[in-house]
Amino acid sequence: MSGTTGSATINGDADGATSTGFSRRDTGVTAVARRELHRLRARRLYPLLLLILPVIGWGVLRAIFGSHVARDLPVVVMDADGSALSRRVVRAIDATASVRVVSRTSAIGNVEQVLQRGEAYAVVVIPAGLEQQTARAQGTPILLYTNGQWLLPASTITRDVRMAVGTVSAQIEVGRRVARGAAPSTALVAAEPVRTQLHPLYNPALDYAAYLFLALIPTLLHVFVLVMAVHVVGVELKQSTAAQWLAAAGGRAGIAVIGKLLPYTLWYALLGSVMLEVALRSLDLPMAGNRPLLHAAMLLLVMAYQALGVLLVALTSNLRVATSASGFIAGPAFAVAGVSFPRFAMPVAGQLWSVVLPLSHYLELQTQQVIVGASVRQSAPLAATLMAFVAVPALLAVRPLRRALRDPQCWGRT
């Protein structure tokens, strides 16, 4: 369905006035921005998208990742041995930061049902005869069952349980060698003659706040930026006010878009930078790189998704369809951005989808600057890519947007 109201053509005349009665002196970026600020104050939806929901989302994420690492993940222990050694193993497991033994039983029940009922993320099974077989130097495995569907808890518990059991095992072996007369230092080396020394770089504490919280801030924000850009541009077509909007810009579509989006560009860039800075400072996270470059990249990210929003409206001339398309683009963006799942392990289609999203490149640049401490020169190609994401959609939108703003057949669609 299409509307037929409003003026179809906005043209400047020789003496500097437009056909809608606007003087050249009353048109331009500033005039459009003033008009947009007036519209902003009149709409109850806008404060939600501009401030309330982004801040609530940030606060929820801040609360989730405030502890930095996953702690006290519930684990059930089935101890069929009931010996001093098995109790020592349980104490060592319970002493790790990530694990909390919530239940201990001697009955070997159905492990799968324990995990299915959600009583614990993992079950540790200590078999009968552990102490006796260990005393005879016969290896007896302690079984660990984890719910692989919960990948993060499963990997964390596996790491810490393996470390706890390995420590107890090494202590037993060292004690045995010392009892046979070996020096403690020699016994320690002999107990584990070949060992691995792990040196995690850039996030040595394996801090989930540095790993996920910082990445989720721009991920959260880009959804609001895209939806807001689509709405403020598309609503002019839906409500058949495109002629007035274009008139305020002196009939120039580019000026109309710049003036309309400018208040939102500045606001979202400022909001994103403040969210990052507060996160860094309140959680004592490192900032190893260049702050001005990081904040400039945030500005480019905002502009890139605004340009994409304008392109969606220009191509569809329909607010509802453009909003649906923005949800399709922004919704799964984090899943293919290469943070939670390696981009190089994705199929070709997934890699291509990741590459064409500005968020992927911004997150890579943010990681380089915040965590890795890369130089400005090393991050320059990513900044240039973000600039391209601003320019290319804007150029592609020029012709269809100009037509949509001037053609009444494109107005009033629902």
Side-chain angles (χ1 to χ4, degrees), residues 58 141 184 264 299 351:
W58 184 93
Y264 306 106
L299 175 62
Q351 293 185 34

Side-chain angles (χ1 to χ4, degrees), residues 168-203:
V168 172
S169 178
Q171 289 171 346
I172 293 172
E173 180 61 25
V174 169
R176 186 178 293 152
R177 290 175 182 272
V178 170
R180 291 201 296 262
S185 57
T186 304
L188 184 62
V189 174
E192 193 177 7
V194 179
R195 66 181 63 187
T196 302
Q197 287 190 340
L198 301 179
H199 298 278
L201 299 177
Y202 311 128
N203 186 14

